[in-house]
Amino acid sequence: MYFWKIESLKGELTQKGLSQNNLFKYIFIYVFLLNLLVEITGYIDLEGMGPNNIDYALSVVWMLFVSFGTYFCYTVNGGANGSNFAERYFSIGLVVFIRSLAILVVMMLIMFVMVFGVNSLEDADNLPTKWPDAVVWISWMTYLYSQTIYHINQVAKRINA
């Protein structure tokens, strides 16, 4: 399994594909990490504030990214004439997700310092979602899907060349 080296993963996908066992591992880890992220966010204590309009907007945007991003991945893989879509989507998606987490952490730290200041760490837990938060998440989603689409497209082109 590859957790960071996307070129090695693309080489394996191009040469021989993944075994069903390795495909299962990628799917399992991918689904587990996404669900973990959702569960963690469910336990954030908002002290009775509840979601605001920005939270609702982000939920809609996230669903659009997942829907259209997955569709575009399928399309660049060849659509109905493509092959091994699940293998490519989950394995490349996992590696891109792990790599993009590093970018997300940096983006969140920069946003935190710019918006809240270094000394207001205690106060940040009691604030509602604001537009800078939305910009960080939308930027991260854009990167996540654009990279997944790009790498699936490269593998599909190598196979068909």
Side-chain angles (χ1 to χ4, degrees):
M1 284 192 68
Y2 303 99
F3 291 102
W4 193 263
K5 297 181 178 184
I6 194 103
E7 292 302 322
S8 299
L9 173 61
K10 291 185 330 189
E12 184 173 335
L13 289 169
T14 303
Q15 300 292 323
K16 59 183 176 180
L18 294 177
S19 69
Q20 289 300 299
N21 188 40
N22 280 340
L23 178 58
F24 169 76
K25 290 175 188 175
Y26 277 107
I27 292 171
F28 181 83
I29 293 169
Y30 190 89
V31 171
F32 177 81
L33 288 177
L34 287 177
N35 283 317
L36 179 64
L37 188 62
V38 169
E39 288 299 317
I40 288 171
T41 60
Y43 288 100
I44 294 174
D45 183 14
L46 297 175
E47 297 193 15
M49 290 177 21
N52 61 26
N53 289 339
I54 297 172
D55 295 314
Y56 295 127
L58 279 174
S59 291
V60 170
V61 169
W62 180 254
M63 295 305 296
L64 290 172
F65 265 89
V66 170
S67 300
F68 287 109
T70 302
Y71 175 76
F72 288 131
C73 287
Y74 177 71
T75 301
V76 300
N77 188 58
N81 296 324
S83 61
N84 303 319
F85 172 70
E87 177 178 301
R88 296 171 187 170
Y89 181 77
F90 284 110
S91 62
I92 288 173
L94 175 64
V95 174
V96 169
F97 178 76
I98 290 170
R99 291 170 61 157
S100 70
L101 284 177
I103 293 169
L104 178 63
V105 169
V106 171
M107 289 172 63
M108 291 182 83
L109 288 173
I110 291 170
M111 188 265 317
F112 180 81
V113 170
M114 289 175 59
V115 173
F116 302 117
V118 178
N119 297 325
S120 61
L121 192 56
E122 307 86 37
D123 297 333
D125 289 337
N126 300 323
L127 297 174
T129 305
K130 297 197 182 311
W131 283 112
D133 304 320
V135 169
V136 168
W137 284 108
I138 291 169
S139 299
W140 181 69
M141 288 183 255
T142 302
Y143 177 79
L144 180 70
Y145 273 98
S146 67
Q147 287 297 293
T148 304
I149 291 164
Y150 171 78
H151 292 296
I152 289 174
N153 188 35
Q154 281 195 323
V155 170
K157 285 181 177 178
R158 286 181 190 175
I159 296 291
N160 295 329

